[in-house]
Amino acid sequence: SGSASDSTASPLARRKQGPTDWPSKLRTDIRGLCNPSSFMDKHAIPNFANRICAEYLQMFGAPEQAPYGVLQQLQSVFVDRASNSGLRKSIFFTFNELCAMLKIDTAHCSAKFFRHAGWLFLKAVEAAHLDADERHSYAVFVRGRGGRSSHIWTLANNAEPRHRQDWRKRMERWCASMETGVPL
């Protein structure tokens, strides 16, 4: 089962080869964001987000299911008390990169379901045990600076107007909750 072709097979072919614990593999890869070489590589987070889109989304099921499976793994590592602030920041920035890539439907991810799974992820971030400075930094990042908003803030820009408005209201409430410490 360890042939050289296994490592070069497409993600779909590897999925068909047999059962793999994709959630565990993804969590291990997420934790890998915390190694020193990842901190030094400015492309580590965008490359990881690309890998999630290219490989993991299709492993977690249909386009309506995949965003939940992937973001639940990001969430589980983020809220783990053993995760340090550097790893949490890397996870949050990975989520931001995913928001840039998944604003529209793709073959393996429904934008509508990604927004909903993303909201669940953000609610878990809000409920996590973070100090006030870390909470504040995430709120500031999401809102953006200098007229440039995060991809998280603009995730619904391609959606219908009512969905855009709903997302903006959610982001405003989330940022306020992160800054004040008052739960959603």
Side-chain angles (χ1 to χ4, degrees):
S1 94
S3 74
S5 65
D6 287 350
S7 65
T8 59
S10 75
L12 190 56
R14 285 193 306 268
R15 181 179 187 190
K16 291 179 181 176
Q17 287 173 356
T20 299
D21 185 0
W22 293 110
S24 178
K25 183 175 177 345
L26 178 54
R27 284 190 307 274
T28 299
D29 286 351
I30 293 166
R31 287 185 182 95
L33 288 171
C34 198
N35 71 48
S37 64
S38 291
F39 286 137
M40 302 298 287
D41 181 1
K42 68 180 182 178
H43 299 291
I45 289 172
N47 289 345
F48 183 55
N50 278 324
R51 208 165 101 230
I52 288 172
C53 290
E55 182 176 341
Y56 285 109
L57 279 171
Q58 61 185 305
M59 299 305 158
F60 280 88
E64 299 80 20
Q65 300 166 327
Y68 296 99
V70 167
L71 291 180
Q72 283 171 351
Q73 302 317 308
L74 288 173
Q75 174 183 321
S76 73
V77 177
F78 188 98
V79 302
D80 184 343
R81 288 184 184 252
S83 296
N84 65 33
S85 63
L87 178 55
R88 288 190 301 268
K89 186 183 287 187
S90 295
I91 291 168
F92 199 78
F93 291 158
T94 298
F95 174 61
N96 186 61
E97 288 294 320
L98 290 171
C99 288
M101 297 173 190
L102 299 171
K103 288 180 180 184
I104 59 171
D105 290 339
T106 68
H108 304 293
C109 185
S110 162
K112 173 184 171 182
F113 289 96
F114 181 78
R115 281 192 307 274
H116 184 257
W119 176 242
L120 296 176
F121 172 78
L122 289 171
K123 285 173 49 175
V125 167
E126 185 270 334
H129 297 280
L130 309 174
D131 66 34
D133 288 341
E134 190 173 359
R135 294 174 68 82
H136 176 76
S137 70
Y138 292 136
V140 168
F141 176 80
V142 168
R143 280 198 180 109
R145 295 183 193 172
R148 185 178 159 113
S149 301
S150 70
H151 298 299
I152 298 166
W153 186 271
T154 61
L155 179 60
N157 279 4
N158 294 331
E160 297 174 24
R162 67 185 173 95
H163 295 298
R164 278 195 306 267
Q165 292 168 345
D166 178 61
W167 186 255
R168 293 266 163 72
K169 287 178 186 175
R170 287 174 188 237
M171 292 303 94
E172 289 167 6
R173 284 188 1 245
W174 184 84
C175 288
S177 175
M178 290 297 284
E179 290 180 334
T180 64
V182 176
L184 288 168

